[in-house]
């Protein structure tokens, strides 16, 4: 056994200049190792996390000198002798850096690795990069799903983190994803405008659905190529909701190929995918050059197979 379940006493944190402006949920994700994100959100909702003795929300921003109290919780205590990130894995992640300057690092994350450890994951992208680079300050600017591949922005300075997170909040950064979806999408271009509501399953897993009670959510879909059983779409979310592209695709009858959470029961007769067919392919950031990551080999292979099926279709 590399870990045991133990009770943690009341924990106190004090915010310094490096955490100024950071959301409380993101702050806790990086410090309560072994505690699932769903549990952290529940602690916040139940008032078991207090900032300066006051109840807060997940999106509450921190100020220098804030006193954070976390009630006793059960957490996973890892073996101190365990090595969470091997040198080989760490160096492999470092080799996937596609852009870097004094404040920003952009990494082409492979599918199958989480952006950070926790929730049963020994380590994630950020832990691997810290181990490989030896840099003490590396922070995620945003997140993509574990099964999604592609571009992830990481700050090397607090000022860069704040600047780019402000840009994201103000919708100044354009993110474009490549997605292979089930069926033939009819419209070449469409704006999917459907509010999204996040909820939890009985096991604490987070899910999202279209709901009038949800938050405003818009995604621009542009068809890149059509096949017999699927369509290659370039999708640009105009808001940053959890699972947005996946749920918006489902809402118009075109769930993503390889999605085991949304629309997996929808019929699909094309070649079997290895994973969720979603790739963060392009970032357009004001003041920066456009940053791109080509389709990974597994998605390129799937698209090639879909093209072959289209070519083999008999002419009527």
């Amino acid at each position: 056994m590399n870990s045991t379940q133990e009770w943690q006493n009341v924990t106190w944190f004090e915010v310094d200049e490096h955490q100024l402006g950071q959301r409380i949920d993101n702050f806790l994700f990086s410090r309560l190792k072994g505690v699932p994100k769903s549990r952290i959100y529940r602690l916040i909702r139940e008032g078991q996390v207090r900032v300066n003795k006051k109840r807060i929300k997940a999106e509450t921003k921190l100020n220098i000198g804030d006193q954070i109290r976390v009630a006793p919780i059960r957490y996973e205590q890892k073996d101190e002798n365990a090595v969470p990130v091997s040198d080989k894995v760490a160096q492999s992640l470092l080799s996937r850096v596609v852009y870097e300057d004094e404040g920003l690092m952009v990494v082409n994350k492979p599918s199958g690795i989480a952006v950070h450890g926790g929730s049963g994951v020994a380590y994630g992208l950020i832990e691997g990069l810290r181990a490989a680079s030896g840099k003490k300050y590396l922070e995620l600017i945003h997140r993509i799903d574990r099964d999604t591949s592609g571009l992830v922005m990481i700050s090397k300075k607090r000022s860069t983190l704040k600047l780019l997170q402000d840009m994201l909040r103000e919708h100044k950064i354009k993110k474009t994803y490549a997605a292979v979806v089930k069926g033939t999408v009819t419209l070449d271009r469409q704006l999917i405008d459907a509010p999204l509501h996040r909820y939890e399953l009985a096991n604490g897993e987070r899910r999202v659905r279209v709901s009038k009670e949800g938050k405003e959510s818009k995604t621009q879909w542009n068809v890149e190529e059509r096949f017999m059983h699927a369509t290659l779409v370039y999708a640009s979310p105009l808001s940053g909701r959890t699972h947005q592209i996946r749920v918006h695709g489902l809402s118009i009858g075109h769930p993503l190929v390889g999605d085991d959470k949304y629309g997996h029961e929808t019929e699909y007769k094309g070649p079997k995918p290895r994973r969720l067919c979603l790739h963060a392919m392009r970032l357009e950031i004001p003041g920066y050059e456009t940053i791109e990551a080509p389709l990974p080999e597994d998605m390129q292979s799937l698209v090639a197979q879909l093209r072959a099926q289209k070519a083999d279709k008999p002419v009527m």
Side-chain angles (χ1 to χ4, degrees), residues 168 171 174-175 191 217-220 236-240 244:
L168 284 170
H171 310 301
K174 182 179 180 181
K175 296 187 286 185
L191 178 65
S217 306
K218 298 179 181 180
T219 305
Q220 179 64 49
S236 296
L238 306 183
S239 46
Q244 178 170 323

Side-chain angles (χ1 to χ4, degrees), residues 12-27:
W12 289 89
F13 300 103
E14 182 172 348
V15 178
D16 61 26
E17 67 274 11
H18 296 298
Q19 292 96 39
L20 175 64
Q22 189 173 25
R23 286 171 50 132
I24 183 64
D25 56 351
N26 293 334
F27 179 93

